[in-house]
Amino acid sequence: QVLQKYEAQFAQLESGQNDMGGVLGEQEKKKYGDSLKKYEYRLKEDIPPIESQSFMGFLDQSNSLIMVVSLCVIILAATQVASEYTSGTVKLLLIAPYKRWKILLAKCALMFTIALLMYGALLFSAAAVGGMLYGFGGMRPFVTTFGGEAAGVPFPLFVLLKYFLNFPELLVYTSLAVMLAVLMRHSAVAIGLGVALLIGGGFVNILLQFIKYDFKRFILQANTNLGQYFTGFYENDIFSVVEGPPIPDMTLGFSLAVLAVYLICINAIAFDSFNRRDIK
């Protein structure tokens, strides 16, 4: 099967036409070239592809449930802060012998700890269920490309990397939910805006492709999906379509820097508002 796919894609690359009969663009040529290198590596090292109905396939697909974890953490973060205002218990917190910024910092640290625990619970439960359904054996390296060359990544490390790629996005949106809760002092508004920004990221990226101005590279949603720089990690994921960054010359370092600036600004606004605003 791998050999048949290799021959078919090799013929398409030589003809310069895709499946629809259209001319191959530069990105498509690069994608086909990477696929051919991975097929060659599989044939040389005798590594079959990941099957969906296997322990490796089940554990790989569990990555799609991280969106549920993100939604839960955003809801918890917004409720944890805004409920203090609606119930009036924020007054009891502020008369405690602690500075305001320490109180808010403790709540943020709690949310990030819960996020890590939920990540770990999801990974552990996925491994347990996948093992019970398909058995724990048969693990082999995941084949991808690094620097234009095919290589095998140990499968446990590959799964951890896929999970880790979603964590910076979760940090930013959790901080954003806390900031909205501090500013609005109403959990419903903070939850609604936070969830809308999280879910609407994919639609924003589609719209960015039609914007010609260079400022679009600094928009938050264009940088949150770090998986766009590791498209080979998502080739077996039926729930995610990762075609690369919306702007071709964007890099992983650039997106991390943009996310860091957003994270600093969001937290600065939240802490400044929590420290300065009066409680009535």
Side-chain angles (χ1 to χ4, degrees), residues 114-262:
I114 290 175
L116 284 173
L117 292 176
M118 292 183 71
Y119 264 50
L122 174 60
L123 182 58
F124 176 80
S125 59
V129 174
M132 288 187 291
L133 290 175
Y134 304 107
F136 293 94
M139 271 204 295
R140 49 189 178 269
F142 177 83
V143 179
T144 185
T145 54
F146 289 104
E149 297 295 330
V153 181
F155 188 74
L157 177 60
F158 158 71
V159 173
L160 290 175
L161 285 173
K162 280 190 73 171
Y163 271 68
F164 175 76
L165 288 175
N166 292 276
F167 199 70
E169 178 183 19
L170 178 60
L171 288 179
V172 173
Y173 282 116
T174 302
S175 300
L176 185 62
V178 172
M179 183 197 76
L180 292 172
V182 171
L183 295 177
M184 305 293 183
R185 301 187 178 185
H186 198 284
S187 58
V189 177
I191 292 172
L193 289 175
V195 172
L197 290 171
L198 176 65
I199 298 177
F203 299 102
V204 173
N205 284 334
I206 295 175
L207 293 176
L208 289 177
Q209 297 178 8
F210 300 96
I211 299 176
K212 298 181 180 180
Y213 299 104
D214 193 55
F215 75 87
K216 63 183 180 180
R217 70 180 66 232
F218 299 102
I219 296 177
L220 175 61
Q221 284 79 5
N223 297 276
T224 51
N225 182 16
L226 298 182
Q228 63 192 353
Y229 301 107
F230 302 88
T231 54
F233 282 13
Y234 297 85
E235 59 183 6
N236 301 302
D237 194 341
I238 60 175
F239 298 104
S240 298
V241 179
V242 181
E243 296 291 347
I247 305 173
D249 57 348
M250 287 177 60
T251 63
L252 176 62
F254 175 81
S255 289
L256 288 174
V258 171
L259 290 179
V261 172
Y262 270 102

Side-chain angles (χ1 to χ4, degrees), residues 51 53-60 126-128 130-131 134-137 139 155:
E51 299 177 355
Q53 294 185 349
S54 65
F55 174 69
M56 291 177 65
F58 188 87
L59 196 57
D60 184 22
Y134 304 107
F136 293 94
M139 271 204 295
F155 188 74

Side-chain angles (χ1 to χ4, degrees), residues 86-106:
T86 55
S87 63
T89 53
V90 67
K91 298 177 182 178
L92 300 177
L93 286 176
L94 297 183
I95 63 175
Y98 301 103
K99 295 184 180 296
R100 288 191 179 191
W101 66 268
K102 289 185 177 181
I103 295 173
L104 187 59
L105 180 62

